[in-house]
Amino acid sequence: MIRAAILPAVGSPLEIADIELPEPGPGQVRIRLAAAGVCHSDLSLSNGTMRVPVPAVLGHEGAGTVLSVGEGVTHVAPGDAVVLNWAPSCGTCHPCSLGEIWLCANALTGAANVHAVTEDGTELHPGLNVGAFAEETVVAAGCVLPAPDGVPLTDAALLGCAVLTGWGAIHHSARVRQGESVAVFGVGGVGLATLQAARIAGASTIVAVDVSPEKEALARAAGATEYVVASENTAREIRKLTGGHGADVAVECVGRAVTIRTAWDSTRRGGRTTVVGIGGKDQQVSFHALELFHWGRTLSGCVYGNSDPAKDLPVLAEHIRAGRLDLSTLVTERITLDGIPGAFDNMIAGKGGRALVVF
Ligand SMILES: [Zn+2]
Ligand SMILES: [Zn+2]
């Protein structure tokens, strides 16, 4: 039996319970978790903004050590340090055939599988494929990537969601060029990773925007050169900070209509806005036809940073080893499994960066 944080039903609080995992079958890997980040998507799954089969073991951003492997698994072996990837790609669907593996149509087909059982025999699903809020997990081989050498697993845990997403928003989606100005909306785990990615890209002015004045030091440590407390004047303030014309790039890490609209308004004529935040269907963003023409701006969605994790992880590892990317500054709280509900409360209240479950 191992301990895990379980979502019993949509809208219910998480419960800590003992679960029984199967031995890894063909093409599967069993892992002992070292650490798992608490991502806003875990909250979105628990409140029903995003849906997966329940009851489920949540947690999708983690790193650990391989305990055993099933038949046919050759890319990792027992004892290897690994990073979890919640969006494995099938390699054969239409997006995969185009190289857009982050849009793989089959990425979440494993969500309906039985992942584990509780003591009373209740069958549990694997949340976003990996069930990382548990001392151990069994996942498909495609969800396992070798961890970069020289990076502590407590840092590497963040690579699998927040860092790939923030990195990809800047480098793959918005394609920030040296000297461009960037505004980042929402200073949580992904926002902080996005700020660091913008700094690495050589952005000139980097504006962090958040509703909380308390995140300024955190944002500046991650690369922000300016800090704006969100208000109805945010777009005007950003224009003032960027020579009067607006930011070249805005990255929205909140997923709310008003923030998406403000991010778009904050960019220059021809500017690019990348939306990383995940909102609900009630968040309607509107534009009138003439402004779309006049401003010539781009608005893009962004899934998992438009990243190929197997290609991006070695690049990120180089930046980490060179000291350009500092993952420890993203973590504002280290907790145990029992601390996850409190971490959800902090996210709802807009407090802190990443909470990290350390096993
Ligand atoms: Zn996530
Ligand atoms: Zn695919």
Side-chain angles (χ1 to χ4, degrees):
M1 285 283 176
I2 55 149
R3 275 165 51 86
I6 291 160
L7 177 67
V10 170
S12 298
L14 294 195
E15 288 172 5
I16 310 301
D18 287 335
I19 64 168
E20 186 98 58
L21 286 167
E23 281 310 305
Q28 290 186 320
V29 181
R30 183 164 182 144
I31 292 153
R32 174 176 295 133
L33 271 296
V38 183
C39 175
H40 204 276
S41 298
D42 294 307
L43 178 62
S44 297
L45 292 168
S46 78
N47 66 24
T49 303
M50 292 163 69
R51 296 273 180 168
V52 287
V54 289
V57 181
L58 296 189
H60 60 275
E61 178 184 88
T65 307
V66 174
L67 292 173
S68 54
V69 298
E71 200 187 311
V73 177
T74 54
H75 74 304
V76 292
D80 285 0
V82 292
V83 172
L84 293 175
N85 163 28
W86 60 264
S89 50
C90 73
T92 56
C93 70
H94 185 60
C96 280
S97 71
L98 295 171
E100 298 177 3
I101 64 161
W102 54 92
L103 300 176
C104 176
N106 299 311
L108 288 178
T109 47
N113 295 347
V114 174
H115 172 68
V117 291
T118 62
E119 271 178 308
D120 66 7
T122 306
E123 293 184 334
L124 302 168
H125 300 286
L128 288 179
N129 284 319
V130 294
F133 289 164
E135 292 164 329
E136 295 177 18
T137 189
V138 173
V139 301
C143 295
V144 176
L145 295 163
D149 289 335
V151 180
L153 284 177
T154 44
D155 286 351
L158 302 174
L159 290 170
C161 191
V163 178
L164 271 182
T165 300
W167 173 263
I170 292 291
H171 291 267
H172 299 314
S173 177
R175 296 173 188 263
V176 172
R177 293 165 290 201
Q178 183 146 16
E180 287 195 308
S181 55
V182 176
V184 177
F185 290 75
V187 182
V190 173
L192 289 167
T194 305
L195 289 167
Q196 292 208 33
R199 177 169 63 188
I200 292 168
S204 52
T205 303
I206 304 176
V207 187
V209 184
D210 198 277
V211 289
S212 166
E214 286 157 25
K215 292 185 178 178
E216 178 164 356
L218 210 55
R220 288 192 184 272
T225 61
E226 313 287 343
Y227 192 78
V228 171
V229 178
S231 73
E232 58 198 17
N233 292 322
T234 297
R236 202 175 308 144
E237 284 186 56
I238 291 174
R239 271 199 296 280
K240 220 184 287 171
L241 293 167
T242 51
H245 38 67
D248 297 304
V249 166
V251 180
E252 202 269 4
C253 309
V254 181
R256 291 187 58 212
V258 62
T259 332
I260 293 167
R261 180 68 223 206
T262 306
W264 194 81
D265 286 336
S266 301
T267 59
R268 64 168 169 87
R269 217 172 168 194
R272 292 104 71 200
T273 298
T274 289
V275 178
V276 172
I278 302 168
K281 293 176 184 171
D282 59 329
Q283 297 295 310
Q284 294 282 336
V285 191
S286 57
F287 304 91
H288 66 70
L290 185 61
E291 64 185 344
L292 292 176
F293 163 75
H294 171 77
W295 289 100
R297 292 162 167 154
T298 306
L299 179 69
S300 313
C302 181
V303 175
Y304 207 4
N306 298 3
S307 280
D308 179 340
K311 284 187 190 152
D312 281 348
L313 240 47
V315 176
L316 291 169
E318 248 340 284
H319 288 300
I320 295 167
R321 286 191 288 262
R324 290 182 290 266
L325 182 60
D326 181 359
L327 303 187
S328 64
T329 61
L330 305 187
V331 177
T332 49
E333 201 186 2
R334 288 176 179 241
I335 58 175
T336 61
L337 282 174
D338 307 273
I340 297 172
F344 279 6
D345 291 341
N346 283 340
M347 272 193 278
I348 294 165
K351 287 188 199 155
R354 210 44 143 202
L356 186 70
V357 181
V358 180
F359 294 95

